Amino acid sequence: MAMGLLGGMTDYSHQSFQGILEDLKKEKEETLSFSKEILEDVGASKKSHIRIMLFLLIFEALWIMQ
């Protein structure tokens, strides 16, 4: 894919229609992959948050029981 002078601008004037389609398919695949990674990170973050909250609840309960 030929990038323009400014980020996000693409110059397709020298590319065939097939080349444009290939670029769009590649961008779609990369976007879906990136979205999947973000969702996996969010899931891992939520699991970590739950573990931390559980630890704090147990710690607080033990502290109160002293």
Side-chain angles (χ1 to χ4, degrees):
M1 180 181 291
M3 295 300 291
L5 294 175
L6 300 175
M9 294 178 60
T10 305
D11 178 14
Y12 285 108
S13 62
H14 66 284
Q15 253 184 314
S16 67
F17 185 69
Q18 186 61 34
I20 295 170
L21 287 177
E22 289 172 8
D23 285 349
L24 291 174
K25 287 177 185 177
K26 182 179 176 187
E27 286 297 319
K28 179 183 175 184
E29 290 170 5
E30 290 176 1
T31 301
L32 291 173
S33 175
F34 184 66
S35 296
K36 181 181 175 186
E37 289 178 25
I38 290 174
L39 292 174
E40 289 171 356
D41 288 346
V42 168
S45 177
K46 285 182 180 180
K47 287 179 185 176
S48 293
H49 178 76
I50 290 170
R51 288 184 186 125
I52 291 169
M53 294 303 294
L54 182 59
F55 170 79
L56 291 174
L57 286 171
I58 292 170
F59 181 79
E60 184 176 2
L62 293 172
W63 183 264
I64 291 172
M65 291 171 61
Q66 286 185 351

Coordinates of all heavy atoms in Angstrom, one line a residue:
M1 N 0.8 -1.2 0.0 CA 0.0 0.0 0.0 C 0.9 1.2 0.0 O 1.8 1.4 0.8 CB -0.9 0.0 1.2 CG -1.8 1.2 1.3 SD -2.9 1.2 2.8 CE -3.9 -0.1 2.4
A2 N 0.6 2.1 -0.9 CA 1.4 3.4 -1.0 C 0.8 4.4 -0.1 O -0.3 4.8 -0.2 CB 1.4 3.9 -2.4
M3 N 1.6 4.9 0.9 CA 1.1 5.9 1.8 C 1.4 7.3 1.3 O 2.4 7.5 0.7 CB 1.8 5.7 3.2 CG 1.4 4.4 3.9 SD -0.4 4.2 4.2 CE -0.6 5.4 5.4
G4 N 0.5 8.2 1.6 CA 0.6 9.6 1.1 C 1.6 10.3 2.1 O 2.2 9.8 3.0
L5 N 1.7 11.6 1.8 CA 2.6 12.5 2.6 C 2.1 12.6 4.1 O 2.9 12.6 5.0 CB 2.6 13.9 2.0 CG 3.3 13.9 0.6 CD1 3.2 15.4 0.1 CD2 4.8 13.5 0.7
L6 N 0.8 12.6 4.3 CA 0.3 12.7 5.6 C -0.3 11.3 6.0 O -0.8 10.6 5.2 CB -0.9 13.7 5.7 CG -0.5 15.1 5.4 CD1 -1.7 16.0 5.3 CD2 0.6 15.7 6.3
G7 N -0.1 11.0 7.3 CA -0.6 9.7 7.8 C -2.0 9.4 7.5 O -2.9 10.3 7.6
G8 N -2.3 8.3 7.0 CA -3.7 7.9 6.7 C -4.1 8.2 5.2 O -5.2 7.7 4.8
M9 N -3.4 9.0 4.5 CA -3.7 9.3 3.2 C -3.0 8.2 2.3 O -1.9 7.9 2.4 CB -3.2 10.7 2.8 CG -3.9 11.8 3.5 SD -3.2 13.4 3.1 CE -3.5 13.5 1.3
T10 N -3.8 7.7 1.4 CA -3.3 6.7 0.5 C -3.5 7.1 -1.0 O -4.6 7.5 -1.4 CB -4.0 5.3 0.7 OG1 -3.9 5.0 2.1 CG2 -3.4 4.2 -0.2
D11 N -2.4 7.0 -1.7 CA -2.5 7.4 -3.2 C -2.6 6.1 -4.0 O -1.7 5.3 -4.1 CB -1.2 8.1 -3.5 CG -1.1 8.5 -5.0 OD1 -2.2 8.4 -5.7 OD2 -0.1 8.8 -5.5
Y12 N -3.8 5.9 -4.5 CA -4.1 4.8 -5.4 C -4.0 5.1 -6.9 O -4.3 4.2 -7.7 CB -5.5 4.2 -5.0 CG -5.6 3.5 -3.7 CD1 -6.2 4.1 -2.6 CD2 -5.1 2.2 -3.6 CE1 -6.3 3.4 -1.4 CE2 -5.1 1.5 -2.4 CZ -5.8 2.1 -1.3 OH -5.8 1.5 -0.1
S13 N -3.6 6.2 -7.2 CA -3.6 6.6 -8.7 C -2.7 5.7 -9.5 O -3.0 5.6 -10.7 CB -3.2 8.1 -8.8 OG -1.9 8.2 -8.4
H14 N -1.7 5.1 -9.0 CA -0.8 4.2 -9.7 C -1.1 2.8 -9.5 O -0.4 1.9 -10.1 CB 0.6 4.5 -9.3 CG 0.9 4.1 -7.9 ND1 0.5 4.9 -6.8 CD2 1.5 3.0 -7.4 CE1 0.9 4.3 -5.7 NE2 1.5 3.2 -6.0
Q15 N -2.2 2.4 -8.8 CA -2.5 1.0 -8.5 C -3.7 0.5 -9.2 O -4.6 1.3 -9.5 CB -2.8 0.9 -7.0 CG -1.7 0.2 -6.2 CD -2.0 -0.1 -4.8 OE1 -2.5 0.8 -4.1 NE2 -1.7 -1.2 -4.3
S16 N -3.6 -0.8 -9.5 CA -4.7 -1.4 -10.2 C -5.9 -1.6 -9.3 O -5.7 -1.6 -8.0 CB -4.3 -2.7 -10.8 OG -4.0 -3.7 -9.8
F17 N -7.1 -1.9 -9.8 CA -8.2 -2.1 -9.0 C -8.0 -3.4 -8.1 O -8.3 -3.4 -6.9 CB -9.5 -2.3 -9.8 CG -10.7 -2.5 -9.0 CD1 -11.3 -1.4 -8.3 CD2 -11.4 -3.7 -9.0 CE1 -12.4 -1.6 -7.6 CE2 -12.5 -3.9 -8.3 CZ -13.0 -2.8 -7.5
Q18 N -7.3 -4.4 -8.7 CA -7.0 -5.6 -8.0 C -6.1 -5.3 -6.8 O -6.2 -5.8 -5.7 CB -6.4 -6.7 -8.9 CG -6.1 -8.0 -8.2 CD -7.4 -8.7 -7.7 OE1 -8.5 -8.5 -8.3 NE2 -7.3 -9.4 -6.6
G19 N -5.1 -4.4 -7.0 CA -4.2 -4.0 -6.0 C -4.9 -3.3 -4.8 O -4.6 -3.5 -3.7
I20 N -5.9 -2.5 -5.2 CA -6.7 -1.8 -4.2 C -7.4 -2.8 -3.4 O -7.5 -2.7 -2.1 CB -7.6 -0.8 -4.8 CG1 -6.8 0.4 -5.5 CG2 -8.6 -0.2 -3.8 CD1 -7.6 1.3 -6.4
L21 N -8.1 -3.8 -4.0 CA -8.8 -4.8 -3.3 C -7.9 -5.6 -2.4 O -8.3 -5.9 -1.2 CB -9.5 -5.7 -4.3 CG -10.7 -5.2 -5.0 CD1 -11.3 -6.2 -6.0 CD2 -11.8 -4.8 -4.0
E22 N -6.7 -5.9 -2.8 CA -5.8 -6.7 -2.0 C -5.4 -5.9 -0.7 O -5.3 -6.4 0.4 CB -4.6 -7.1 -2.8 CG -4.8 -8.2 -3.8 CD -3.7 -8.4 -4.7 OE1 -2.6 -7.9 -4.5 OE2 -3.9 -9.2 -5.7
D23 N -5.2 -4.6 -0.9 CA -4.8 -3.7 0.2 C -6.0 -3.6 1.2 O -5.8 -3.7 2.4 CB -4.5 -2.3 -0.3 CG -3.1 -2.2 -1.0 OD1 -2.4 -3.1 -0.8 OD2 -2.9 -1.1 -1.6
L24 N -7.2 -3.5 0.7 CA -8.4 -3.4 1.6 C -8.6 -4.7 2.3 O -8.9 -4.7 3.5 CB -9.6 -3.1 0.8 CG -9.6 -1.6 0.2 CD1 -10.9 -1.5 -0.7 CD2 -9.6 -0.6 1.3
K25 N -8.4 -5.8 1.7 CA -8.5 -7.1 2.4 C -7.4 -7.2 3.5 O -7.7 -7.7 4.6 CB -8.3 -8.3 1.4 CG -9.5 -8.5 0.5 CD -9.3 -9.6 -0.5 CE -10.5 -9.7 -1.5 NZ -10.3 -10.7 -2.5
K26 N -6.2 -6.8 3.2 CA -5.1 -6.9 4.1 C -5.4 -6.0 5.3 O -5.2 -6.3 6.5 CB -3.8 -6.5 3.5 CG -2.6 -6.5 4.4 CD -1.3 -6.1 3.7 CE -0.2 -6.1 4.7 NZ 1.0 -5.6 4.1
E27 N -5.9 -4.8 5.1 CA -6.3 -3.8 6.1 C -7.4 -4.4 7.0 O -7.4 -4.3 8.2 CB -6.7 -2.5 5.6 CG -5.5 -1.7 5.0 CD -4.5 -1.3 6.1 OE1 -4.9 -0.9 7.2 OE2 -3.3 -1.4 5.8
K28 N -8.4 -5.1 6.4 CA -9.5 -5.7 7.1 C -8.9 -6.7 8.1 O -9.3 -6.8 9.2 CB -10.5 -6.3 6.2 CG -11.6 -6.9 6.9 CD -12.6 -7.6 5.9 CE -13.7 -8.4 6.6 NZ -14.6 -9.1 5.6
E29 N -8.0 -7.6 7.5 CA -7.5 -8.7 8.4 C -6.7 -8.1 9.5 O -6.8 -8.6 10.7 CB -6.5 -9.6 7.5 CG -7.3 -10.4 6.5 CD -6.4 -11.1 5.5 OE1 -5.1 -11.0 5.7 OE2 -6.9 -11.8 4.6
E30 N -5.9 -7.1 9.3 CA -5.1 -6.5 10.3 C -5.9 -5.8 11.4 O -5.7 -5.9 12.6 CB -4.1 -5.5 9.7 CG -3.0 -6.1 8.9 CD -2.0 -5.2 8.3 OE1 -2.2 -3.9 8.4 OE2 -1.1 -5.6 7.6
T31 N -7.0 -5.2 10.9 CA -7.9 -4.5 11.9 C -8.6 -5.5 12.7 O -8.8 -5.3 14.0 CB -9.0 -3.7 11.1 OG1 -8.3 -2.7 10.3 CG2 -10.0 -3.0 12.0
L32 N -9.1 -6.6 12.1 CA -9.7 -7.7 12.9 C -8.8 -8.3 13.9 O -9.1 -8.6 15.1 CB -10.3 -8.8 12.0 CG -11.5 -8.3 11.1 CD1 -11.9 -9.4 10.1 CD2 -12.7 -8.0 12.0
S33 N -7.5 -8.5 13.5 CA -6.5 -9.1 14.4 C -6.2 -8.1 15.5 O -6.2 -8.6 16.7 CB -5.2 -9.3 13.6 OG -4.2 -9.8 14.5
F34 N -6.1 -6.9 15.2 CA -5.9 -5.9 16.3 C -7.0 -5.8 17.3 O -6.8 -5.7 18.5 CB -5.6 -4.5 15.6 CG -5.3 -3.4 16.6 CD1 -4.1 -3.4 17.3 CD2 -6.2 -2.3 16.8 CE1 -3.8 -2.4 18.2 CE2 -5.8 -1.3 17.7 CZ -4.6 -1.4 18.4
S35 N -8.3 -5.8 16.7 CA -9.5 -5.8 17.6 C -9.5 -7.0 18.5 O -9.8 -6.9 19.7 CB -10.7 -5.8 16.8 OG -10.8 -4.6 16.0
K36 N -9.1 -8.2 18.0 CA -9.1 -9.4 18.8 C -8.1 -9.3 19.9 O -8.3 -9.7 21.0 CB -8.7 -10.6 17.9 CG -8.7 -11.9 18.6 CD -8.3 -13.1 17.6 CE -8.2 -14.4 18.4 NZ -7.7 -15.4 17.6
E37 N -6.9 -8.8 19.6 CA -5.9 -8.6 20.6 C -6.3 -7.6 21.7 O -6.1 -7.9 22.9 CB -4.6 -8.0 20.0 CG -3.8 -9.0 19.1 CD -2.6 -8.4 18.5 OE1 -2.0 -7.5 19.0 OE2 -2.2 -9.0 17.4
I38 N -7.0 -6.6 21.3 CA -7.6 -5.6 22.3 C -8.6 -6.3 23.2 O -8.5 -6.2 24.4 CB -8.2 -4.4 21.6 CG1 -7.1 -3.5 21.0 CG2 -9.0 -3.6 22.6 CD1 -7.7 -2.4 20.2
L39 N -9.5 -7.1 22.6 CA -10.5 -7.8 23.4 C -9.8 -8.8 24.4 O -10.2 -9.0 25.5 CB -11.5 -8.5 22.5 CG -12.4 -7.5 21.8 CD1 -13.3 -8.3 20.8 CD2 -13.3 -6.7 22.7
E40 N -8.8 -9.5 23.9 CA -8.0 -10.4 24.8 C -7.4 -9.7 25.9 O -7.4 -10.1 27.1 CB -7.0 -11.2 24.0 CG -7.6 -12.2 23.0 CD -6.6 -12.8 22.1 OE1 -5.5 -12.4 22.1 OE2 -7.0 -13.7 21.3
D41 N -6.8 -8.5 25.6 CA -6.2 -7.7 26.7 C -7.2 -7.2 27.7 O -6.9 -7.2 28.9 CB -5.4 -6.5 26.1 CG -4.1 -6.9 25.4 OD1 -3.7 -8.1 25.5 OD2 -3.6 -6.1 24.6
V42 N -8.3 -6.8 27.2 CA -9.4 -6.4 28.1 C -9.8 -7.5 29.0 O -10.0 -7.4 30.2 CB -10.6 -5.8 27.4 CG1 -11.8 -5.6 28.2 CG2 -10.2 -4.5 26.7
G43 N -10.0 -8.7 28.4 CA -10.3 -9.9 29.2 C -9.3 -10.2 30.3 O -9.6 -10.5 31.4
A44 N -8.0 -10.2 29.9 CA -7.0 -10.4 30.9 C -7.0 -9.4 32.0 O -6.7 -9.7 33.2 CB -5.6 -10.4 30.2
S45 N -7.2 -8.1 31.6 CA -7.3 -7.0 32.6 C -8.4 -7.2 33.6 O -8.2 -7.0 34.8 CB -7.4 -5.7 31.9 OG -7.5 -4.6 32.8
K46 N -9.5 -7.7 33.1 CA -10.7 -7.9 34.0 C -10.4 -9.0 34.9 O -10.7 -9.0 36.1 CB -11.9 -8.2 33.2 CG -12.5 -7.0 32.5 CD -13.8 -7.4 31.7 CE -14.4 -6.2 31.1 NZ -15.6 -6.6 30.3
K47 N -9.7 -10.1 34.5 CA -9.3 -11.2 35.3 C -8.4 -10.7 36.4 O -8.5 -11.1 37.6 CB -8.7 -12.3 34.5 CG -9.7 -13.1 33.7 CD -9.0 -14.2 32.9 CE -9.9 -14.9 32.0 NZ -9.2 -15.9 31.2
S48 N -7.4 -9.9 36.0 CA -6.5 -9.4 37.0 C -7.2 -8.5 38.0 O -6.9 -8.6 39.2 CB -5.4 -8.6 36.3 OG -4.6 -9.4 35.5
H49 N -8.1 -7.7 37.6 CA -8.9 -6.8 38.5 C -9.7 -7.7 39.5 O -9.7 -7.3 40.7 CB -9.8 -5.9 37.7 CG -10.7 -5.0 38.5 ND1 -10.2 -3.9 39.1 CD2 -12.0 -5.1 38.8 CE1 -11.1 -3.3 39.8 NE2 -12.2 -4.0 39.6
I50 N -10.3 -8.7 39.0 CA -11.1 -9.6 39.9 C -10.2 -10.2 40.9 O -10.5 -10.3 42.1 CB -11.9 -10.6 39.1 CG1 -13.0 -9.9 38.3 CG2 -12.4 -11.7 40.0 CD1 -13.6 -10.8 37.3
R51 N -9.0 -10.7 40.5 CA -8.0 -11.3 41.4 C -7.6 -10.3 42.5 O -7.5 -10.7 43.7 CB -6.8 -11.9 40.7 CG -7.2 -13.1 39.9 CD -5.9 -13.7 39.2 NE -6.2 -14.8 38.4 CZ -5.9 -14.8 37.1 NH1 -5.2 -13.9 36.5 NH2 -6.3 -15.9 36.4
I52 N -7.3 -9.1 42.1 CA -6.9 -8.1 43.0 C -8.0 -7.8 44.0 O -7.7 -7.7 45.2 CB -6.4 -6.8 42.3 CG1 -5.1 -7.1 41.5 CG2 -6.2 -5.6 43.3 CD1 -4.7 -6.0 40.6
M53 N -9.2 -7.6 43.5 CA -10.3 -7.3 44.4 C -10.6 -8.5 45.4 O -10.8 -8.2 46.6 CB -11.6 -7.1 43.6 CG -11.5 -5.8 42.8 SD -11.2 -4.3 43.8 CE -12.7 -4.2 44.7
L54 N -10.4 -9.7 45.0 CA -10.6 -10.9 45.8 C -9.5 -10.9 46.9 O -9.8 -11.1 48.1 CB -10.6 -12.2 45.0 CG -10.7 -13.5 45.8 CD1 -12.1 -13.5 46.5 CD2 -10.7 -14.6 44.9
F55 N -8.3 -10.6 46.5 CA -7.2 -10.5 47.5 C -7.4 -9.5 48.5 O -7.2 -9.7 49.7 CB -5.9 -10.2 46.7 CG -4.7 -9.9 47.7 CD1 -4.1 -10.9 48.3 CD2 -4.3 -8.6 47.9 CE1 -3.0 -10.7 49.2 CE2 -3.3 -8.3 48.8 CZ -2.6 -9.3 49.4
L56 N -7.9 -8.3 48.1 CA -8.1 -7.2 49.0 C -9.3 -7.6 50.0 O -9.2 -7.2 51.2 CB -8.5 -5.9 48.3 CG -7.3 -5.3 47.5 CD1 -7.7 -4.1 46.7 CD2 -6.2 -4.9 48.5
L57 N -10.3 -8.2 49.5 CA -11.4 -8.7 50.4 C -10.9 -9.7 51.4 O -11.3 -9.6 52.6 CB -12.6 -9.3 49.5 CG -13.4 -8.3 48.7 CD1 -14.4 -9.0 47.8 CD2 -14.2 -7.4 49.7
I58 N -10.1 -10.6 51.0 CA -9.6 -11.6 51.9 C -8.7 -10.9 52.9 O -8.8 -11.2 54.1 CB -8.9 -12.7 51.2 CG1 -9.9 -13.5 50.4 CG2 -8.1 -13.6 52.1 CD1 -9.2 -14.5 49.4
F59 N -7.8 -10.0 52.4 CA -6.9 -9.3 53.3 C -7.7 -8.5 54.4 O -7.4 -8.5 55.5 CB -6.0 -8.4 52.5 CG -5.0 -7.6 53.3 CD1 -3.9 -8.2 53.8 CD2 -5.3 -6.3 53.6 CE1 -3.0 -7.5 54.6 CE2 -4.4 -5.6 54.4 CZ -3.2 -6.2 54.9
E60 N -8.7 -7.8 53.9 CA -9.5 -7.0 54.8 C -10.2 -7.9 55.8 O -10.3 -7.6 57.0 CB -10.6 -6.2 54.0 CG -11.4 -5.3 54.9 CD -12.4 -4.4 54.1 OE1 -12.4 -4.6 52.9 OE2 -13.1 -3.6 54.7
A61 N -10.8 -9.0 55.4 CA -11.5 -10.0 56.3 C -10.5 -10.5 57.4 O -10.8 -10.6 58.6 CB -12.1 -11.1 55.5
L62 N -9.3 -10.8 57.0 CA -8.3 -11.3 57.9 C -7.8 -10.2 58.9 O -7.6 -10.4 60.0 CB -7.0 -11.8 57.2 CG -7.3 -13.1 56.4 CD1 -6.1 -13.5 55.5 CD2 -7.6 -14.3 57.3
W63 N -7.8 -9.0 58.4 CA -7.4 -7.8 59.2 C -8.5 -7.6 60.3 O -8.1 -7.3 61.4 CB -7.2 -6.6 58.3 CG -6.8 -5.4 59.1 CD1 -7.6 -4.4 59.6 CD2 -5.5 -5.0 59.4 NE1 -6.8 -3.5 60.2 CE2 -5.5 -3.8 60.1 CE3 -4.2 -5.6 59.2 CZ2 -4.4 -3.2 60.6 CZ3 -3.1 -5.0 59.7 CH2 -3.2 -3.8 60.4
I64 N -9.7 -7.7 59.9 CA -10.8 -7.5 60.8 C -10.8 -8.5 61.9 O -11.2 -8.3 63.0 CB -12.2 -7.4 60.1 CG1 -12.2 -6.1 59.2 CG2 -13.3 -7.4 61.0 CD1 -13.4 -6.0 58.3
M65 N -10.5 -9.8 61.5 CA -10.6 -10.9 62.4 C -9.5 -10.8 63.5 O -9.5 -11.6 64.4 CB -10.5 -12.2 61.6 CG -11.7 -12.5 60.8 SD -11.6 -13.9 59.7 CE -11.3 -15.2 60.8
Q66 N -8.5 -10.0 63.3 CA -7.4 -9.9 64.3 C -7.8 -9.4 65.6 O -8.6 -8.6 65.9 CB -6.2 -9.1 63.8 CG -5.4 -9.7 62.7 CD -4.2 -8.9 62.3 OE1 -4.1 -7.7 62.7 NE2 -3.4 -9.4 61.5

